[in-house]
């Protein structure tokens, strides 16, 4: 799966990653309270342009606003369901009770998930391990996975304040898998060896973010697909496609160098 990355991954990049091996992609985070206002620029962020399999990611707490958004939502080809963001570390979001703050709120999360399911849409979760080291030691992530009835859980194996320089705690995937839920591993995944190890731990899949920015062919390479094009031609193809779509982040994406990856904030 291609990870959501706000203001970096646009619809054209999602299409390209799908074409060359990613099974599933995600839109960048947005509050459903904002979507409920029918705000044009917010709706652009969740616009799907083709049949690339895509989960629409959102966050929020207001149940009436979630229903209001869903009342007006019309799925288009490519739409595969909704993803709740329970991982964003940003101060603003955390202060208003969303993102990583929600990891310790399984009852509230289950209510939101049920609302989406009542409308007949698939729903899954993307989360970190907790807000703090203590929450992580208290295993709030495990309680959430156990209590919430979502299709799958993408687990970024770091807690909120951990930067990308701290290695993710992959060993927690074993207990996440032991809950019997579908677990997708996320955080620093780059190679066949990584994927094999995570598969041995029982993970159902992997999500890749930053590595895909500099190598969108990584999905096809990890699947050993034959006859992949050169990176240069893939980026040219992306630029051509991005030019045909309303919202694209190609300028920002091309400014990122491999050595910048550990310093990206997300
Ligand atoms: C610039 C940037 C923006 C991000 N935006 C989002 C986002 O909108 N939603 C989300 O769930 N995660 C977001 N993330 C987190 C990634 O989806 C992913 O969980 C994280 O980068 C770890 O995976 P990786 O090591 O493969 O990059 C962002 C990360 C970065 C670096």
């Amino acid at each position: 799966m291609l990870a959501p990355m706000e203001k970096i991954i646009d619809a054209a990049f999602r299409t390209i990653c799908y074409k060359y091996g990613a099974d599933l992609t995600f839109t960048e985070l947005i509050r459903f309270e904002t979507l409920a206002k029918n705000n044009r620029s917010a709706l652009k962020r969740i616009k799907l342009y083709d049949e690339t399999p895509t989960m629409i990611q959102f966050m929020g707490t207001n149940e009436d606003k979630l229903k209001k958004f869903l009342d007006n939502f019309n799925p288009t080809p490519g739409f595969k369901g909704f993803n709740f963001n329970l991982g964003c570390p940003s101060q603003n979001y955390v202060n208003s009770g969303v993102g990583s703050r929600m990891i310790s709120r399984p009852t509230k999360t289950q209510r939101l998930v049920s609302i989406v399911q009542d409308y007949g849409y698939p729903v899954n979760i993307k989360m970190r391990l907790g807000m703090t080291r203590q929450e992580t030691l208290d295993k709030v992530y495990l309680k959430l996975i156990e209590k919430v009835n979502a299709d799958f859980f993408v687990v970024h194996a770091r807690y909120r304040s951990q930067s990308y320089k701290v290695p993710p705690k992959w060993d927690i995937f074993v207990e996440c898998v032991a809950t019997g839920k579908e677990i997708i591993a996320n955080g620093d995944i780059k190679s066949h060896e990584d994927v094999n190890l995570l598969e041995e731990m029982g993970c159902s899949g992997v999500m890749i973010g930053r590595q895909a920015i500099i190598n969108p062919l990584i999905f096809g390479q990890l699947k050993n697909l034959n006859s992949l094009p050169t990176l240069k031609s893939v980026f040219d193809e992306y630029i051509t496609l991005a030019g045909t779509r309303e919202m694209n982040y190609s300028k920002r994406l091309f400014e990122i160098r491999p050595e910048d990856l550990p310093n990206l904030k997300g």
Side-chain angles (χ1 to χ4, degrees):
M1 299 179 184
L2 170 67
M5 281 185 278
E6 192 185 18
K7 299 202 175 127
I8 292 185
I9 304 285
D10 55 22
F13 200 75
R14 293 199 300 266
T15 299
I16 295 293
C17 288
Y18 170 59
K19 181 171 176 188
Y20 296 112
D23 292 319
L24 190 59
T25 69
F26 293 70
T27 60
E28 62 196 300
L29 66 85
I30 182 89
R31 287 194 73 124
F32 52 68
E33 289 92 345
T34 313
L35 292 169
K37 288 181 194 153
N38 258 330
N39 171 303
R40 218 177 93 80
S41 74
L43 291 172
K44 250 192 217 171
R45 282 166 71 130
I46 63 162
K47 180 167 171 179
L48 309 186
Y49 291 79
D50 58 23
E51 296 188 10
T52 298
T54 310
M55 292 284 173
I56 293 183
Q57 184 182 71
F58 55 29
M59 53 163 47
T61 53
N62 186 313
E63 295 172 26
D64 290 334
K65 293 281 165 55
L66 176 57
K67 288 178 196 160
K68 188 169 177 221
F69 163 64
L70 292 171
D71 282 339
N72 294 319
F73 176 72
N74 293 311
T76 52
F79 171 74
K80 292 287 173 233
F82 289 103
N83 171 267
F84 272 103
N85 177 306
L86 267 61
C88 183
S90 133
Q91 193 68 48
N92 282 347
Y93 287 132
V94 165
N95 285 350
S96 64
V98 292
S100 301
R101 179 69 79 188
M102 286 283 288
I103 305 166
S104 56
R105 298 192 66 194
T107 310
K108 173 73 180 174
T109 303
Q110 176 56 44
R111 275 211 303 278
L112 295 167
V113 162
S114 296
I115 289 173
V116 179
Q117 287 165 340
D118 287 346
Y119 280 76
Y121 298 124
V123 54
N124 55 78
I125 305 279
K126 181 165 181 283
M127 59 195 285
R128 285 199 180 209
L129 301 180
M131 277 282 290
T132 58
R133 181 167 174 272
Q134 191 56 51
E135 275 197 7
T136 306
L137 291 172
D138 292 343
K139 299 190 187 293
V140 288
Y141 55 94
L142 215 50
K143 289 172 197 151
L144 187 115
I145 294 170
E146 278 163 357
K147 282 197 172 173
V148 175
N149 175 29
D151 298 336
F152 60 82
F153 296 79
V154 181
V155 183
H156 177 190
R158 290 185 173 94
Y159 56 85
R160 180 220 169 195
S161 48
Q162 280 183 314
S163 81
Y164 288 122
K165 288 177 185 141
V166 181
K169 226 175 133 16
W170 283 4
D171 55 336
I172 57 89
F173 292 131
V174 174
E175 56 187 355
C176 294
V177 168
T179 61
K181 303 286 178 77
E182 295 274 315
I183 303 298
I184 308 298
N186 174 236
D188 285 15
I189 298 163
K190 302 182 180 73
S191 65
H192 279 108
E193 291 71 33
D194 296 342
V195 174
N196 291 342
L197 177 68
L198 293 161
E199 195 172 13
E200 276 167 28
M201 291 171 126
C203 294
S204 312
V206 298
M207 174 184 273
I208 297 178
R210 291 163 301 149
Q211 285 301 318
I213 297 176
I214 51 167
N215 177 18
L217 293 173
I218 189 166
F219 305 98
Q221 290 165 351
L222 290 175
K223 283 177 161 177
N224 295 321
L225 296 186
N226 288 324
S227 62
L228 289 169
T230 63
L231 260 186
K232 162 95 179 68
S233 76
V234 170
F235 275 112
D236 288 346
E237 191 181 352
Y238 161 62
I239 279 295
T240 306
L241 189 59
T244 67
R245 296 184 175 181
E246 280 169 281
M247 177 168 291
N248 76 78
Y249 296 140
S250 51
K251 193 159 177 294
R252 188 171 282 129
L253 190 129
F254 277 99
E255 280 163 2
I256 298 169
R257 305 270 166 269
E259 57 273 24
D260 299 328
L261 294 184
N263 301 318
L264 285 180
K265 294 230 163 23

